[in-house]
């Protein structure tokens, strides 16, 4: 993505790259302004609600991408981290009366801890083996939560799920009557996740993850312990996903294992990243921004008439993207941007 | 079954707010929203409910719409929850904000109904719970949330009541029970209620077993049931698993002296009866949301039309889900007539004062529809049917039985059946 | 230049067995600071196994490997890199979706933490390789020989004291081989000690002051290239098959 | 535990386990040769089941007789999916090496499309087919053995043997094995690798046609029935050793018996957790599986 390319590396390419970088920066700034102004310009609650859902998925996909996109491993179990975050947030608030803001962070930390337990053995596996193991872990946790009413005195409430006790409009309790506060919270979370990814791109960890993706043996020869850095990245990703699960819980005011820890949720995150462009800062965001509304619109317009059609469309998009845009939708966008910047210069 | 069926109707009056005033206006439109699982594992239920609601709507419109609103027609909009809570919430937002519905009905799955009805409450939009049986749905102090159908606890109580009654009637009955149910929300919450009641009534639960949905083999579980030797078996499964279970029980000739007692679910789904051999389900006791026999006395012309169209559209006979979709629309029609407005608050107040004792709204078989202060229809009840000669005939409550019907109790073993 | 004579690497009696095959048997040799030592031997002699043991990719069954006096046997590859031993791979393994400069930056983090410094260092190495103009090219667009050079440069980016090279000119044209020989010499001139596993005799003659020869897992010769190639057991073991066939 | 009950459990576990193994055969074959994890495997079984169902519902063909239709039909579907959807990926990669993850995503897309097309076409209702043949259970001592499952079990064993013999003894089989071992070398020695791939995919899914017909008589048929078998097939294949034909059957038997016995002691939900745990453990400790060459 844009930011990656704007790294000034070789003298001769410098001009092109910075031109491209400028275009990209402009685009990002413009998108930022639009994002900030959106709920003010379009205060319709359903519209804002839909935007929040898009941003939430963008945030979750960005979190997924943080490890999976950069080390090139396909996790289909990230929902387990969202589940830990979501459940922790709700339980800490409903049982201990501690503010969900803190609960989200605790949930994130717990998710990161779980990720170390899961990731330590799992990251030795490659390709489909890794993917299948992550599904297996997430499914174990899902089935366990669905069938556990209380665990060590903690009421998990089994398959029934847990609702967030209503206290009315309160910043401390992270409950608002309107949509706009949620919008800005998730927007800030997304920006932070994007910044973290942007930082990752130019950090040691980022270079190391990309090296591990490129070739594990070669990475080891360059002083990289793959297990260690993959785990660090996974823990950060799990933390972010866990916090996202906390937001999910607060926004929908309900968590249940079937959905929040379900395979479909994990698959959604992976698909958005992959279709948008994994291993890039803005790819997952692009994927979420394009796919979530497609799902929503087709569901709204076709769901009642031709059930299943919207998922068929989704599947076809996936097939086409894998075949014709292996680097994601961000790839053509990138070339359009650089063409535009060239034209701009020659003009 | 009650559990999985939720009804949701959103009444929206599109754009014609002037209607509320006494000004004589063009026949306008009242929009009602439904949130249903139209895809995914519960899609079958969603489709049946949708068809039932649509047929009722067509009947209402054909009969002149909402007369107190100058003949306003009802238009339905549907949202597909895919059985996922967050999508159900988003769709509810869409219906309320975008489609401007006057009320929302739904959403079968308790997991969807819970957060989605809260959205309706927040926007002060009446929510008619359809299918979802979780007790708490009407126990949150939400004045915009109503429920036509049973609560979960009613279902369990009716099953146990029926057993107690047959025992009293014949002097014979089960002492030990086994429970076998699907391991997600509905099955588990039903099991919890049965567990509680069985203990109170002195039944001994000798096996309490859940299974994850969509199994391909129940042999191991049937072995456990065989080993536990219960007098009767209480089951709660959706259609695919119920089909597998019923077939394997017949194949393995797993006999229970006091039979199989199913709570709706697969045993209420007409597709199930199309797929299963009648022998496999003979003498089944089914706790039903709809009481066919109780309807034999009062037939409205709407019923024949409904049953005919339903069969044409779906290829099988009326189901409890279809009936609930149908009844929900007539409850809403009744409230709209009395409110003479599509204003959500006025409609809510009208719904709260609902007291229906006749008409097509009673198609599910209730004698009356009246909501208590929590919005629960206290006259909601199911019935217990027994599968006799290939038909489910009401055997409990006794007053709903047809004259020629008596339960077969205990049930004959597979080997002793013709 | 033949180094200052103090041993940088001392291999002491290392052995490795794979199932029934004794790949390396009681191998010992020294590598002096600043020299280029070539490790020769026919296919299957155990060269690559020995190489991988030093680089930490295989565990030694027994024996010690002393680097600057410390035993490094059994350390993990990344630790070995950190203490100053870099390696190349026989089949070059560049990170193909990164640019040349990015490839050269990865190793830099072992020694430095300032990214601008690392980038400057990477560009310097690119210039050193004669690839400065390709710094922003993605590796997948490079020729095979440029990838080989990059492989070498990437090892250099970890600023090693000892560089282990596995067949650097395999598949290269004569002029490319010449360029590579030059490059290796210039690396040595920067003060890097080099252990090279190589088949092409011309390269060894041109580069190394000293060669050691392995056959069937054992060391059979050790000395100046000109002397070693005259030893009968070397002729028999090595030139009898591998080299003669190649030449 | 009562030994008779345990005996029942083992027999049931073997029967259903053999069926799991048989259903997983194609998955293993396709992975072994193409290195493609076919996420749509369960969906293709669903197609087989529906085909058997409709042949009976519309043409009155007994499910057991419908094999002559389902097998060729599913072969064609597999051949078509490989040629039209997966092959372009191979051309794009220009080498004959498919990136396993891209292929997994492609087949995930196929799964979404097939399952939901089935929902649109057939509706969400549960269906079942039934055979007109009279099949009383056979008695194994005091233990009744369900014939329909026994036929499925036997078919799985025979299909595995047939597959092994075919791969060893025929020209095509040997070409497939050569391609599995080294596709570049196979291509160099004149083997039409794209054709081999398509045939392999076709054979792998044709097996699902067979089991679609055989299972239709006792498995509830819904548009998402594939999911019930999908994840379990992965477990079976990994357990037995990915790419190994006997391993697939062995993996199925192990999982079947494991779940049957575990279910006697814990609820089915816990048994499911245990088999997932077993799956993870095998992958970590012995990633080649029970019969793997690793």
């Amino acid at each position: 993505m844009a930011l990656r390319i704007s790294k000034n590396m070789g003298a001769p390419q410098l001009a092109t790259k910075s031109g491209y970088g400028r275009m990209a920066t402009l685009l990002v700034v413009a998108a930022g302004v639009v994002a900030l102004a959106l709920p003010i310009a379009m205060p319709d609650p359903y519209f804002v609600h839909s935007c929040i859902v898009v941003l939430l998925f963008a945030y979750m996909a960005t979190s997924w991408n943080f490890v999976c996109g950069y080390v090139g491993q396909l996790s289909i179990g990230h929902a387990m981290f969202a589940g830990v975050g979501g459940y922790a947030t709700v339980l800490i608030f409903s049982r201990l009366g501690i503010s969900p803001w803190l609960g989200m962070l605790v949930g994130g930390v717990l998710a990161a801890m779980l990720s170390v337990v899961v990731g330590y053995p799992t990251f030795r596996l490659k390709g489909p083996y890794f993917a299948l193991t992550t599904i297996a872990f997430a499914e174990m946790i899902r089935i366990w939560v669905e069938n556990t009413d209380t665990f060590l005195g903690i009421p998990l409430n089994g398959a029934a799920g847990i609702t967030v006790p209503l206290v009315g409009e309160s910043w401390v309790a992270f409950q608002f009557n309107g949509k706009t506060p949620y919008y800005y919270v998730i927007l800030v979370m997304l920006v932070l996740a994007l910044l973290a990814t942007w930082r990752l791109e130019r950090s040691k960890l980022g270079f190391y993850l990309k090296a591990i993706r490129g070739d594990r043996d070669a990475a080891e020869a360059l002083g990289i312990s793959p297990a260690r850095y993959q785990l660090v990245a996974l823990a950060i990703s799990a933390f972010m996903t866990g916090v996202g699960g906390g937001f999910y819980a607060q926004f929908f005011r309900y968590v249940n294992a079937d959905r929040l820890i379900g395979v479909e949720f994990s698959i959604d995150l992976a698909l958005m990243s992959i279709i948008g462009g994994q291993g890039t800062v803005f790819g997952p965001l692009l994927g979420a921004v394009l796919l979530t509304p497609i799902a929503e619109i087709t569901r709204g317009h076709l769901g009642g008439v031709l059930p299943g059609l919207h998922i068929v469309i989704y599947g076809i998009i996936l097939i086409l993207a894998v075949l014709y845009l292996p680097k994601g939708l961000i790839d053509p966008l990138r070339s359009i941007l650089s063409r535009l910047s060239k034209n701009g210069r020659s003009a | 079954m009650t559990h999985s069926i939720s009804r949701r109707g959103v009444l929206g009056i599109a754009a014609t707010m002037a209607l509320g005033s006494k000004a004589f206006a063009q026949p306008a439109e009242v929009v009602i929203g439904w949130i249903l699982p139209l895809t995914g594992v519960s899609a079958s239920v969603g489709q049946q409910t949708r068809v039932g609601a649509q047929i009722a709507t067509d009947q209402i419109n054909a009969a002149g719409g909402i007369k107190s609103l100058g003949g306003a027609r009802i238009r339905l909009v549907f949202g597909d929850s895919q059985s996922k809570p967050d999508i159900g919430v988003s769709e509810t937002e869409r219906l309320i904000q975008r489609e401007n519905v006057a009320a929302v009905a739904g959403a079968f799955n308790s997991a969807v109904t819970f957060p989605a009805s809260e959205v309706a409450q927040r926007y002060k939009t009446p929510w008619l719970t359809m299918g979802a049986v979780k007790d708490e749905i009407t126990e949150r102090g939400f004045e915009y949330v109503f429920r036509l159908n049973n609560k979960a606890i009613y279902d369990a109580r009716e099953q146990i009541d029926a057993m107690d009654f047959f025992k009293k009637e014949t002097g014979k009955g089960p002492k030990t029970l086994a429970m076998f149910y699907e391991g997600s929300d509905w099955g588990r919450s039903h099991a919890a209620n049965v567990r509680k009641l069985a203990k109170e009534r002195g039944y001994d639960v000798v096996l309490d077993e859940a299974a994850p949905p969509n199994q391909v083999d129940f042999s191991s579980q049937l072995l456990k049931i065989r080993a536990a030797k219960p007098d009767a078996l209480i089951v709660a499964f959706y259609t695919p698993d119920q089909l597998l279970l019923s077939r394997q029980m017949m194949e393995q000739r797993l006999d229970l002296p006091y039979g199989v007692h199913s709570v709706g679910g697969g045993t209420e789904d007409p597709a199930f009866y199309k797929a299963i051999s009648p022998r496999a389900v003979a003498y089944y006791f089914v706790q039903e949301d709809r009481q066919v026999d109780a309807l034999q006395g009062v037939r409205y012309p709407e019923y024949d039309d409904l049953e005919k169209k339903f069969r044409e559209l779906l290829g099988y006979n009326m189901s409890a889900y279809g009936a609930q979709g149908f009844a929900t629309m007539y409850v809403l029609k009744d409230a709209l007539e009395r409110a003479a407005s599509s204003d959500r608050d006025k409609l809510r107040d009208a719904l709260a004062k609902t007291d229906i004792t006749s008409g097509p709204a009673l198609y599910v078989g209730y004698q009356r529809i009246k909501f208590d202060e929590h919005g629960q229809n206290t006259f909601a009840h199911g019935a217990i049917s027994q599968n006799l000669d290939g038909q489910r005939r009401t055997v409990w409550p006794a007053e709903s039985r047809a004259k020629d019907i008596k339960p077969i109790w205990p049930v004959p073993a597979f080997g002793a059946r013709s | 230049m033949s180094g200052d004579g103090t041993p940088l690497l001392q291999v002491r009696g290392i052995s490795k067995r794979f199932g029934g095959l004794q790949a390396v048997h009681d191998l010992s040799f020294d590598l002096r600071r600043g020299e280029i030592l070539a490790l020769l031997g026919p296919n299957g002699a155990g060269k690559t196994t020995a190489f991988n043991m030093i680089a930490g990719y295989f565990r030694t069954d027994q024996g010690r490997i002393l680097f600057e006096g410390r035993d490094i046997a059994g350390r993990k590859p990344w630790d070995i890199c950190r203490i100053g031993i870099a390696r190349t791979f026989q089949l070059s393994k560049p990170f193909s979706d990164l640019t040349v400069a990015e490839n050269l930056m990865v190793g830099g983090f072992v020694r430095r933490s300032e990214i601008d410094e690392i980038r400057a260092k990477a560009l310097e190495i690119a210039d050193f390789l004669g690839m400065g103009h390709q710094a922003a090219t993605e590796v997948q667009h490079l020729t095979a020989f440029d990838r080989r050079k990059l492989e070498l440069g990437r090892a250099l980016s970890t600023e090693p004291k000892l560089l282990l090279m596995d067949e650097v000119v395999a598949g290269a044209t004569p002029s490319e081989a010449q360029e590579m020989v030059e490059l290796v010499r210039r690396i040595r001139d920067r003060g890097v000690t080099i252990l090279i596993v190589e088949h092409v005799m011309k390269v060894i003659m041109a580069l190394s002051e000293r060669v050691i020869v392995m056959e069937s897992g054992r060391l059979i010769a050790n000395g100046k290239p000109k002397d070693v190639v005259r030893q009968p057991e070397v002729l028999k073991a090595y030139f009898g098959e591998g080299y003669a066939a190649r030449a | 535990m009562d030994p008779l009950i345990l005996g029942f459990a083992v027999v049931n576990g073997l029967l259903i386990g053999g069926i799991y193994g048989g259903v997983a055969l194609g998955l293993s074959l396709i992975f072994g040769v193409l290195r493609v994890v076919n996420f749509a495997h369960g969906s293709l079984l669903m197609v087989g089941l529906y085909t058997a169902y409709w042949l009976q519902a519309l043409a009155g063909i007994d499910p057991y007789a419908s094999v002559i239709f389902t097998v060729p039909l599913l072969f064609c579907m597999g051949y078509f999916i490989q040629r039209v959807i997966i092959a372009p990926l191979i051309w794009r990669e220009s080498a004959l090496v498919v990136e396993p993850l891209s292929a997994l995503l492609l087949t995930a897309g196929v799964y979404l499309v097939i399952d939901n097309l089935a929902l649109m076409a057939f509706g969400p209702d549960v269906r079942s087919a039934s055979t007109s043949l009279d099949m009383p259970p056979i008695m194994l001592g005091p233990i009744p053995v369900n014939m329909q499952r026994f036929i499925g079990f036997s078919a799985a064993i025979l299909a595995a043997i047939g597959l092994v013999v075919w791969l060893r003894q025929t020209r095509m089989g040997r070409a497939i094995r050569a391609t599995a071992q080294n596709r570049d070398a196979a291509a160099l020695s004149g083997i039409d690798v794209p054709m081999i791939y398509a045939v392999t995919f076709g054979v792998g899914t044709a097996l699902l046609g067979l089991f679609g017909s055989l299972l239709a008589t006792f498995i509830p048929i819904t548009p998402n029935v594939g999911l019930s078998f999908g994840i379990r097939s992965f477990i079976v294949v990994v357990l037995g050793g990915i790419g190994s034909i006997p391993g697939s059957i062995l993996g199925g038997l192990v999982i079947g018996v494991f779940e049957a016995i575990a279910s006697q002691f814990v609820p089915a939900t816990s048994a499911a957790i245990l088999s997932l745990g077993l799956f993870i453990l095998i992958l970590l400790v012995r990633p080649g599986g029970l019969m793997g060459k690793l």
Side-chain angles (χ1 to χ4, degrees), chain A residues 61-240:
Chain A
T62 303
S63 308
W64 182 92
N65 177 56
F66 192 89
V67 62
C68 296
Y70 283 91
V71 300
Q73 293 266 45
L74 179 68
S75 159
I76 318 182
H78 252 59
M80 68 181 134
F81 306 129
V84 168
Y87 270 84
T89 308
V90 179
L91 285 169
I92 285 171
F93 178 62
S94 62
R95 310 300 299 178
L96 306 174
I98 293 173
S99 164
W101 296 101
L102 203 62
M104 279 164 76
L105 295 180
V106 174
V109 170
L110 290 175
M113 284 161 63
L114 172 67
S115 78
V116 174
V117 175
V118 169
Y120 184 75
T122 313
F123 264 125
R124 292 188 306 171
L125 304 168
K126 286 180 189 164
Y129 293 90
F130 177 84
L132 293 175
T133 313
T134 53
I135 295 188
F137 267 114
E139 282 291 277
M140 276 172 82
I141 293 175
R142 180 185 66 79
I143 297 173
W144 178 76
V145 173
E146 282 208 326
N147 290 282
T148 305
D149 290 329
T150 51
F151 175 66
L152 302 176
I154 305 165
L156 295 178
N157 224 6
I162 309 176
T163 41
V164 177
L166 280 179
V167 299
E169 180 104 11
S170 154
W171 266 98
V172 176
F174 196 168
Q175 288 185 13
F176 310 103
N177 292 329
K179 299 282 176 195
T180 313
Y182 293 105
Y183 177 89
Y184 284 110
V185 170
I186 190 65
L187 185 63
V188 167
M189 283 167 63
L190 174 63
V191 168
L192 289 177
L194 291 173
L195 276 177
T197 313
W198 185 79
R199 269 294 296 157
L200 177 74
E201 281 267 348
R202 57 218 56 240
S203 73
K204 170 165 139 178
L205 182 59
F207 274 88
Y208 277 16
L209 295 181
K210 285 185 263 185
I212 294 165
R213 177 179 67 197
D215 188 295
R216 206 182 162 98
D217 283 341
E220 290 187 1
L222 295 174
I224 301 167
S225 160
R228 180 172 158 195
Y229 290 100
Q230 287 185 117
L231 269 191
V232 170
L234 179 66
I236 297 172
S237 168
F239 173 82
M240 289 167 29

Side-chain angles (χ1 to χ4, degrees), chain A residues 161-336:
Chain A
I162 309 176
T163 41
V164 177
L166 280 179
V167 299
E169 180 104 11
S170 154
W171 266 98
V172 176
F174 196 168
Q175 288 185 13
F176 310 103
N177 292 329
K179 299 282 176 195
T180 313
Y182 293 105
Y183 177 89
Y184 284 110
V185 170
I186 190 65
L187 185 63
V188 167
M189 283 167 63
L190 174 63
V191 168
L192 289 177
L194 291 173
L195 276 177
T197 313
W198 185 79
R199 269 294 296 157
L200 177 74
E201 281 267 348
R202 57 218 56 240
S203 73
K204 170 165 139 178
L205 182 59
F207 274 88
Y208 277 16
L209 295 181
K210 285 185 263 185
I212 294 165
R213 177 179 67 197
D215 188 295
R216 206 182 162 98
D217 283 341
E220 290 187 1
L222 295 174
I224 301 167
S225 160
R228 180 172 158 195
Y229 290 100
Q230 287 185 117
L231 269 191
V232 170
L234 179 66
I236 297 172
S237 168
F239 173 82
M240 289 167 29
T241 311
V243 173
F247 180 88
Y248 175 102
Q250 287 306 119
F251 181 61
F252 292 108
R253 296 186 187 169
Y254 178 75
V255 288
N256 70 336
D258 189 46
R259 172 60 173 158
L260 198 53
I261 316 180
V263 177
E264 273 186 76
F265 199 71
S266 294
I267 291 180
D268 277 348
L269 305 186
L271 287 192
M272 285 173 189
S273 298
I274 290 162
I275 292 176
Q278 56 172 329
T280 66
V281 177
F282 290 109
L285 169 60
L286 184 68
V289 166
L290 291 177
L291 287 184
T292 318
I294 288 179
E296 192 126 344
I297 290 165
T298 48
R299 195 176 59 231
H301 290 260
L302 307 171
V305 189
L306 276 173
L309 181 60
H310 55 289
I311 307 178
V312 172
I313 293 174
Y314 211 74
I316 291 172
I317 291 176
L318 173 64
I319 292 172
L320 293 178
V322 173
L323 284 180
Y324 301 107
L325 290 172
K327 287 179 176 171
L329 296 169
I330 194 104
D331 203 42
L333 190 73
R334 212 189 272 173
S335 28
I336 292 168

Side-chain angles (χ1 to χ4, degrees), chain B residues 136-214:
Chain B
E136 293 89 332
I137 287 171
T138 48
E139 293 170 3
R140 292 174 294 177
F142 288 178
E143 63 269 31
Y144 286 85
V145 174
F146 300 91
R147 170 159 51 193
L148 209 59
N149 58 257
N150 269 7
K151 289 176 165 190
I153 187 77
Y154 295 3
D155 290 349
R157 198 167 55 215
E158 285 165 12
Q159 283 193 303
I160 303 285
D161 278 350
M163 280 190 218
D164 282 350
F165 180 75
F166 301 150
K167 203 180 220 170
K168 215 172 83 193
E169 212 176 23
T170 61
K172 285 177 290 189
K175 290 192 178 58
T176 57
L177 301 179
M179 293 193 290
F180 187 32
Y181 47 93
E182 61 96 30
S184 74
D185 194 12
W186 165 59
R188 291 177 54 83
S189 69
H190 181 68
N193 285 322
V194 171
R195 206 175 292 136
K196 202 171 68 192
L197 287 167
K199 204 176 159 197
E200 286 171 19
R201 310 277 183 94
Y203 292 97
D204 192 9
V205 176
V206 290
L207 183 73
D208 187 342
E209 176 96 3
N214 298 315

Side-chain angles (χ1 to χ4, degrees), chain B residues 100-122:
Chain B
N100 204 19
V101 294
V104 189
F108 176 70
N109 314 86
S110 290
V112 177
T113 307
F114 234 103
S117 58
E118 195 208 301
V119 172
Q121 167 73 17
R122 212 182 311 154

Side-chain angles (χ1 to χ4, degrees), chain A residues 74 121 128-129 133 307 311 322 326, chain D residues 37 92 104-105 116 120 283-284:
Chain A
L74 179 68
Y129 293 90
T133 313
I311 307 178
V322 173
Chain D
V37 173
R92 193 195 77 210
L104 186 121
L105 293 169
N116 287 285
M120 286 164 66
L283 266 181
L284 295 177

Side-chain angles (χ1 to χ4, degrees), chain B residues 119-135:
Chain B
V119 172
Q121 167 73 17
R122 212 182 311 154
Y123 290 118
K124 301 195 185 311
T125 306
W127 171 282
L128 275 155
T129 306
M130 172 267 160
V133 290
K134 213 163 186 23
D135 295 338

